[in-house]
Amino acid sequence: MKTNINFFEIESVAIIWASEASGKIWNDLLRNLKDFKWKKAWVNPKWWSFENITFYKSIEKLPFIPDIVV
């Protein structure tokens, strides 16, 4: 795991409580970040997929260790 990472060196991110519900801040974040080149993981125990995005039930289930978690 990297320490003291520069924002412009980020390679992966996990979004906790990403939401499919329109109008929620986590939904806006999901929509704004989904096209970034970073490796992304969306975490929300209530949802399995949304607009071809797979959600993970918990951070422990992620297939990689993210550089940052939001």
Side-chain angles (χ1 to χ4, degrees):
M1 181 169 42
K2 298 177 184 176
T3 58
N4 298 327
I5 194 164
N6 181 313
F7 178 79
F8 297 103
E9 296 173 349
I10 293 170
E11 296 176 4
S12 61
V13 61
I15 310 299
I16 309 299
W17 286 105
S19 176
E20 88 302 341
S22 184
K24 291 193 173 191
I25 191 168
W26 296 117
N27 180 265
D28 293 339
L29 186 61
L30 181 147
R31 291 179 187 280
N32 290 330
L33 291 179
K34 75 177 184 176
D35 294 327
F36 272 65
K37 65 178 180 163
W38 303 328
K39 183 188 296 187
K40 295 171 286 302
W42 311 99
V43 180
N44 187 326
K46 296 180 181 179
W47 297 100
W48 294 98
S49 67
F50 171 71
E51 291 186 5
N52 297 321
I53 298 170
T54 300
F55 286 76
Y56 295 90
K57 283 193 117 183
S58 71
I59 198 164
E60 291 88 8
K61 304 283 185 187
L62 298 181
F64 62 90
I65 297 173
D67 291 332
I68 62 170
V69 176
V70 179

